Amino acid sequence: MEGSPRFSTEELESMRWLMQEKAEAFSELSRRIARLCHRLGILLKTGEDLRRILEREAQGFSAADHALAEFTSLNLGGRHPDREHLEREELRGLLAMRCELLTQTLQDWGLEATQKITAASESRLEHEGFTPGSDGFTLLHQLNAPREPRQIS
């Protein structure tokens, strides 16, 4: 039927609510990431910084891996990992969760909605006093950057 709305009012309201939930989840992850980065003195300026943390190649992760392996060994004779080691692992996990949330949002909602969700999240963080980029999320700037048209050869 031409002229009829694509979505009902209820469907639109449900989509708005789901987008707000996604934005809040993204904000909460980013807030915790920013706090851990600040506490641990970690700067996430590049994709390479993110990759190094996710793959446990960043400074401090080899000691964390060793301490966790000792503690969880069968004889439990190792020392308990200290708070910093646990926070590094938490940071790694939160970054992975945020990447997964972003991927799922792109798949479910598309680029435009993902841009709105991440922009709302970053705006919330700045409103709460976090400096831009303190959570290491630079993809937002890449998503909004002007693009060169692709040449087909």
Side-chain angles (χ1 to χ4, degrees):
M1 289 195 284
E2 275 190 48
S4 66
R6 187 172 172 186
F7 298 103
S8 70
T9 303
E10 293 82 20
E11 289 171 321
L12 287 173
E13 189 58 37
S14 178
M15 285 189 276
R16 272 190 219 100
W17 182 82
L18 287 170
M19 284 182 71
Q20 287 173 340
E21 287 294 306
K22 286 266 190 188
E24 185 54 41
F26 197 85
S27 291
E28 190 56 40
L29 283 171
S30 295
R31 189 178 297 115
R32 182 67 182 149
I33 288 167
R35 287 184 180 128
L36 284 169
C37 284
H38 178 74
R39 186 180 352 232
L40 295 168
I42 293 175
L43 297 176
L44 293 173
K45 299 253 184 217
T46 67
E48 179 63 15
D49 295 337
L50 174 64
R51 185 199 65 76
R52 290 177 51 108
I53 288 176
L54 289 174
E55 295 182 13
R56 292 186 178 99
E57 294 174 0
Q59 183 178 1
F61 275 93
S62 60
D65 287 342
H66 181 68
L68 287 171
E70 280 183 31
F71 183 70
T72 58
S73 65
L74 290 176
N75 64 8
L76 298 176
R79 65 178 177 86
H80 188 285
D82 65 21
R83 181 178 176 157
E84 183 178 327
H85 293 157
L86 294 174
E87 286 177 338
R88 285 183 188 281
E89 284 299 317
E90 180 183 1
L91 175 61
R92 182 183 167 277
L94 292 172
L95 288 168
M97 286 174 60
R98 187 172 64 182
C99 289
E100 180 61 31
L101 179 62
L102 184 63
T103 299
Q104 194 63 45
T105 304
L106 280 166
Q107 290 172 350
D108 292 348
W109 294 87
L111 181 60
E112 185 177 341
T114 302
Q115 286 174 319
K116 288 179 181 177
I117 288 168
T118 56
S121 169
E122 291 295 300
S123 179
R124 261 190 222 131
L125 289 176
E126 288 179 35
H127 181 72
E128 293 173 13
F130 291 96
T131 58
S134 62
D135 62 344
F137 188 67
T138 58
L139 184 59
L140 176 62
H141 306 293
Q142 294 170 10
L143 290 174
N144 293 327
R147 297 194 177 108
E148 296 288 324
R150 291 189 178 189
Q151 298 293 326
I152 300 175
S153 32

